[in-house]
Amino acid sequence: MTYRPLGPKARLLMGPGPSPIHPRVYGAMAMPVVGHLDPQFVALMEETKELLRHVFQTGNELTLPISGTGSAGMETCVLNALEPGDAALICVNGVFGARLREVAARCGARVDVVEAPWGQDIDPEDVRRALRGSEYKLVAAVHAETSTGVLQPLSDLVAAAHEAGALFLLDTVTSLGGVEVDVDGWEIDLSYSGTQKCLSCPPGLAPITLGPRAREALGRRTHPVQSWYLDLTLLQEYWGAARVYHHTAPVSMNYALREALLLVREEGLQARWARHRDMHAALVRGLEALGLELVVSEAIRLPTLTTVRVPDGVDEARVRGELLETHNLEIGAGLGTFKGAAWRIGLMGEAACAESIARLLAGLGSCLSAQGRSADVSGAVRRALE
Ligand SMILES: *Cc1c(COP(=O)(O)O)cnc(C)c1O
């Protein structure tokens, strides 16, 4: 067999992740690899922790990138928080809440669930009611449900968990770097994210942060953490002053993350959230001008991922295929309940700009016209960018 040189065509990534990569981040990945205990790498680890504290808005010392994707961050938080026999209350209103429940159940915890229909947010009253029934060590929720496009309001949820004496764990995979996340201000005890969503870095690392209450609980454990690889009592020895070898850090990925976090810092958190909010508003204007309907009601709409109803009679997979092949642009299919019924359009990190939105509206409009739906493409682009 002969192999041609690797040469993937660059796509405009406007699905549920990964998101487009800034050239500076690609450049960082091509830098010379050094040892994972080299003083140069150790210095980079310290900078990365500081930059992660900035984006999470926390002073938490235990803030670091886990080697693995967002799901590894999820497993790290859940496994380090729960021991066999503990009880957890998980909020489920989409795929990622369901994944949290599965991970918690696999570590031997008793797991109860508070549910909301897909496309809606979790009602804090339901959480309060559930918390009255039993004693829970952990309450977990997803901030930005990428499967539905819902942004979960948090203050009542966190207060309910803390009043009941439970730790609060928040999935910030599709919010960190795109919408406000304030770990200290909101009193979040544990949080994890991923690099390939609103941080616009390739997939491969999962930033996490643990506050004082979560660390106390970790110190009081009577069983070792079920995963050796994700055991924070060991990982903090490598990421802390002792620098004890645990596993070989993925050096190039850590270069990439540092550069991506620097880009976030240079833009400024407030400006970055405002950009995602404004671009989302522009996208919504354009989609509505194309005659499309959104799945989620305005008050709880997630700026970084928009779910759009597939109009009756439209072959949704054909639209996605044509967007990819003809327009070089990726959007996501519906998941679970929304399979075949919705598209998922991501405006994450570098994708959240006027040019991407114009390309998306033009492409989507022409794919819809090809299936016999009238679409005023130039009108939609104009409405979006006005
Ligand atoms: C993408 C995502 C994950 C999982 O991250 P992977 O990097 O795919 O492992 C978890 N939670 C949410 C909300 C996500 O969007």
Side-chain angles (χ1 to χ4, degrees):
M1 195 181 283
T2 58
Y3 296 94
R4 282 180 294 149
L6 187 63
K9 207 191 282 170
R11 309 283 200 195
L12 176 52
L13 297 172
M14 299 186 76
S19 57
I21 311 295
H22 193 283
R24 264 173 57 189
V25 174
Y26 281 135
M29 295 184 84
M31 298 278 172
V33 170
V34 299
H36 66 287
L37 291 168
D38 186 306
Q40 298 180 93
F41 190 70
V42 168
L44 176 138
M45 290 164 76
E46 290 306 300
E47 290 172 350
T48 301
K49 287 192 291 183
E50 197 49 49
L51 289 164
L52 282 176
R53 286 187 198 107
H54 173 250
V55 68
F56 273 124
Q57 299 200 88
T58 181
N60 289 342
E61 204 174 315
L62 190 49
T63 301
L64 54 85
I66 295 294
S67 306
T69 65
S71 304
M74 182 189 287
E75 297 235 48
T76 302
C77 287
V78 173
L79 263 62
N80 281 270
L82 295 176
E83 305 187 49
D86 284 341
L89 185 65
I90 314 285
C91 301
V92 180
N93 57 344
V95 165
F96 295 104
R99 187 175 297 181
L100 268 169
R101 170 183 54 195
E102 173 70 20
V103 170
R106 286 186 187 207
C107 61
R110 205 196 76 228
V111 178
D112 293 326
V113 167
V114 172
E115 285 183 279
W118 282 51
Q120 293 179 28
D121 55 335
I122 299 287
D123 182 345
E125 275 316 306
D126 291 344
V127 173
R128 279 185 201 280
R129 209 169 302 119
L131 285 167
R132 263 179 239 131
S134 179
E135 218 169 88
Y136 293 97
K137 184 177 185 188
L138 183 77
V139 174
V142 177
H143 190 203
E145 220 346 312
T146 323
S147 58
T148 64
V150 167
L151 181 65
Q152 176 67 41
L154 284 172
S155 55
D156 291 347
L157 230 56
V158 181
H162 286 162
E163 280 159 26
L167 298 168
F168 192 81
L169 164 61
L170 187 64
D171 174 318
T172 54
V173 177
T174 297
S175 51
L176 191 74
V179 301
E180 183 178 15
V181 172
D182 185 357
V183 165
D184 286 1
W186 299 346
E187 300 182 14
I188 307 297
D189 297 299
L190 309 94
S191 184
Y192 60 88
S193 190
T195 45
Q196 80 276 21
K197 311 255 169 128
C198 304
L199 298 176
S200 263
C201 185
L205 291 174
I208 61 149
T209 187
L210 271 78
R213 281 180 298 259
R215 292 188 74 175
E216 265 165 46
L218 184 60
R220 279 198 308 268
R221 286 182 69 105
T222 54
H223 304 75
V225 176
Q226 290 93 328
S227 161
W228 177 87
Y229 194 70
L230 303 176
D231 183 343
L232 286 172
T233 65
L234 303 175
L235 285 167
Q236 68 187 0
E237 297 295 300
Y238 172 54
W239 281 87
R243 307 288 170 201
V244 179
Y245 164 68
H246 179 260
H247 68 277
T248 310
V251 172
S252 306
M253 268 313 301
N254 278 279
Y255 291 170
L257 176 59
R258 177 188 178 277
E259 201 63 30
L261 291 169
L262 272 180
L263 286 161
V264 172
R265 196 185 173 87
E266 286 165 20
E267 180 172 9
L269 290 176
Q270 308 280 345
R272 197 171 171 96
W273 304 328
R275 171 166 62 84
H276 281 85
R277 212 172 33 239
D278 293 347
M279 289 300 124
H280 169 73
L283 175 68
V284 169
R285 285 194 299 272
L287 291 170
E288 287 176 346
L290 284 178
L292 295 167
E293 273 174 45
L294 304 190
V295 173
V296 175
S297 63
E298 194 171 349
I300 52 169
R301 241 177 239 160
L302 175 62
T304 54
L305 187 120
T306 304
T307 36
V308 183
R309 264 182 227 293
V310 176
D312 288 338
V314 168
D315 177 346
E316 75 82 21
R318 199 179 124 200
V319 169
R320 280 185 295 111
E322 278 177 23
L323 274 175
L324 192 68
E325 288 310 319
T326 314
H327 301 271
N328 231 1
L329 190 156
E330 178 179 275
I331 64 169
L335 275 186
T337 307
F338 294 146
K339 190 171 189 299
W343 292 300
R344 292 183 300 151
I345 302 175
L347 289 178
M348 301 186 189
E350 296 294 311
C353 67
E355 194 208 333
S356 304
I357 291 170
R359 271 183 64 185
L360 171 86
L361 293 171
L364 192 55
S366 87
C367 293
L368 289 171
S369 305
Q371 293 196 35
R373 284 185 60 95
S374 68
D376 172 12
V377 172
S378 58
V381 174
R382 214 175 325 110
R383 273 286 288 140
L385 304 181
E386 75 192 7

